Amino acid sequence: MKVVQRMAHNDKVNSVAWHPDQSKVLISVGDDKRALLWDTVSGTEESECSQSSGGRRDPTSQYEAPEAICNLAWSREKSSWAAISFNDSIQAVKV
């Protein structure tokens, strides 16, 4: 079994979702107020990650919200958009 590990959040990860049209792309959101977009093709298998890197990889893009992001959902109609929620607010983010 192959495992690709991503470690770029600075706090708890609250939600992860695969892109609806691009099967190798996912987004993660967390308490560090960030939404991170990942390309899983360029990943390294966990067994090949060096001790020095600790599995850290750069996301392909990121967005920072005003508060910790609790949840996310991709748009099914317009797959370049995702919705995020935090505190008492929601935002639509074009990725």
Side-chain angles (χ1 to χ4, degrees):
M1 181 181 309
K2 293 182 179 182
V3 176
V4 176
Q5 182 172 323
R6 297 289 194 244
M7 296 169 52
H9 281 281
N10 299 321
D11 209 332
K12 179 180 150 188
V13 175
N14 294 323
S15 188
V16 176
W18 289 101
H19 191 284
D21 298 327
Q22 300 176 34
S23 63
K24 295 174 173 75
V25 174
L26 61 87
I27 191 170
S28 60
V29 297
D31 284 352
D32 61 359
K33 306 178 187 178
R34 296 187 304 158
L36 303 178
L37 193 68
W38 301 98
D39 174 4
T40 61
V41 174
S42 63
T44 302
E45 292 180 35
E46 184 178 27
S47 60
E48 296 176 2
C49 288
S50 68
Q51 292 284 341
S52 60
S53 71
R56 294 193 77 82
R57 299 287 181 259
D58 292 331
T60 57
S61 64
Q62 66 179 349
Y63 169 76
E64 188 163 337
E67 298 184 39
I69 304 172
C70 302
N71 206 349
L72 73 108
W74 286 101
S75 169
R76 292 182 190 191
E77 297 273 327
K78 297 188 183 278
S79 62
S80 61
W81 286 86
I84 59 171
S85 66
F86 52 90
N87 200 3
D88 62 352
S89 301
I90 60 169
Q91 287 183 344
V93 180
K94 188 169 186 175
V95 293

